[in-house]
């Protein structure tokens, strides 16, 4: 009976959650590029956008288990990471037309994919640790540095367990909140810092609710190929548009 009551709320499939993630990522990027930091709308868009990175890490771990070709999966990530780099730097350069702004999120996901591969294939614990560390270090110059690899490791640990997945989202939320507090610790008063941190954790909380309680474990029945490629194309596409708007209209 309890499972039946729970299942009736599982109304979102994987692709629908990803579409939500893409939209919220767009809001986050609009805030970073165009809105005045610290305003209500800017913080709201930022916080909602934090839904996306942890959601992508979750589906990366899940997708790794189901993919027919891990080589093709990794190749797609590499190709679109390369395609996305110029739009990424174009969008987030603060002065001038373009400058290096780190590696984009698809590069980070590629590193996370490598971590999943190492966990699966490397049995020697010391070698496994060294390989994972070697993949985490490049993330330090990538979008969602350090956090995305940690999210990925937590989802590997919790894969297939609802209770562990809940723990993973709680840990991820607290870890992100703590890092945001440390980033602002010398900038704003502690009370204000804590309020901002609670807001920062909101997007991850929403992602946890969506995945744990609303996700039905399925994909769209129609338009699967469109959805698959849309997610890859949307990332560099929206960054390119935002970057051009930044250059020509701001």
């Amino acid at each position: 009976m309890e499972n039946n009551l729970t299942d009736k709320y599982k109304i979102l499939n994987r692709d629908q959650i990803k579409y939500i993630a893409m939209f919220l990522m767009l809001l986050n990027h609009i805030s970073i590029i165009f809105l005045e930091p610290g305003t209500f709308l800017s913080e709201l868009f930022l916080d909602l956008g934090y839904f996306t990175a942890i959601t992508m890490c979750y589906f990366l771990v899940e997708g790794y288990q189901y993919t027919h070709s891990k080589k093709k999966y990794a190749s797609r990530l590499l190709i679109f990471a390369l395609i996305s780099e110029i739009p990424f730097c174009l969008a987030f350069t603060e002065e001038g037309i373009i400058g290096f702004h780190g590696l984009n999120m698809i590069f980070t996901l590629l590193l996370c994919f490598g971590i999943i591969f190492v966990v699966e294939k490397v049995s020697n614990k010391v070698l496994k640790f060294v390989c994972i560390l070697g993949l985490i270090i490049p993330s330090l110059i990538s979008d969602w540095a350090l956090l995305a690899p940690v999210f990925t490791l937590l989802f590997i640990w919790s894969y297939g367990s609802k209770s562990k997945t809940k723990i993973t989202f709680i840990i991820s939320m607290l870890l992100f909140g703590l890092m945001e507090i440390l980033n602002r610790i010398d900038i704003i008063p502690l009370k204000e810092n804590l309020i901002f941190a609670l807001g920062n954790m909101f997007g991850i909380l929403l992602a946890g609710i969506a995945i744990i309680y609303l996700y039905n474990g399925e994909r769209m029945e129609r338009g699967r190929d469109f959805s698959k490629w849309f997610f890859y194309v949307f990332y560099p596409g929206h960054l390119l548009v935002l970057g051009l708007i930044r250059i020509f209209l701001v």
Side-chain angles (χ1 to χ4, degrees), residues 2-161:
E2 184 178 349
N3 286 337
N4 290 336
L5 288 173
T6 303
D7 289 345
K8 77 175 184 177
Y9 296 108
K10 293 185 177 295
I11 56 175
L12 297 176
N13 60 49
R14 184 191 321 170
D15 298 302
Q16 289 168 331
I17 294 175
K18 285 185 176 181
Y19 280 118
I20 294 169
M22 295 300 101
F23 174 70
L24 296 180
M25 176 179 64
L26 175 61
L27 296 184
N28 180 276
H29 291 169
I30 288 173
S31 175
I32 293 171
I33 299 167
F34 300 115
L35 300 185
E36 183 68 27
T39 62
F40 174 78
L41 190 62
S42 172
E43 292 301 318
L44 177 63
F45 280 13
L46 277 176
D47 295 342
L48 289 174
Y50 296 143
F51 178 101
T52 304
I54 193 164
T55 299
M56 292 297 102
C57 292
Y58 175 86
F59 285 122
L60 181 73
V61 173
E62 183 181 81
Y64 182 92
Q65 311 302 324
Y66 293 119
T67 186
H68 297 298
S69 173
K70 294 176 174 59
K71 183 178 180 180
K72 288 183 179 179
Y73 198 158
S75 297
R76 283 196 301 272
L77 288 171
L78 176 59
I79 290 169
F80 280 93
L82 294 172
I83 290 171
S84 301
E85 187 60 17
I86 290 178
F88 177 76
C89 292
L90 189 70
F92 293 111
T93 295
E94 294 181 1
E95 296 182 5
I97 294 177
I98 190 169
F100 182 66
H101 195 75
L103 300 176
N104 64 77
M105 184 61 192
I106 301 185
F107 268 119
T108 314
L109 290 175
L110 178 61
L111 294 171
C112 292
F113 185 93
I115 289 172
I116 305 170
F117 183 83
V118 167
V119 170
E120 179 189 49
K121 299 295 184 181
V122 179
S123 56
N124 183 281
K125 291 183 178 180
V126 175
L127 181 59
K128 182 181 293 188
F129 174 81
V130 171
C131 290
I132 291 173
L133 185 62
L135 289 164
I136 289 175
I137 290 173
S139 83
L140 297 177
I141 60 168
S142 302
D143 199 15
W144 279 84
L146 186 63
L147 284 167
V150 171
F151 294 162
T152 300
L153 287 167
L154 286 169
F155 283 129
I156 294 169
W157 168 75
S158 63
Y159 183 74
S161 170

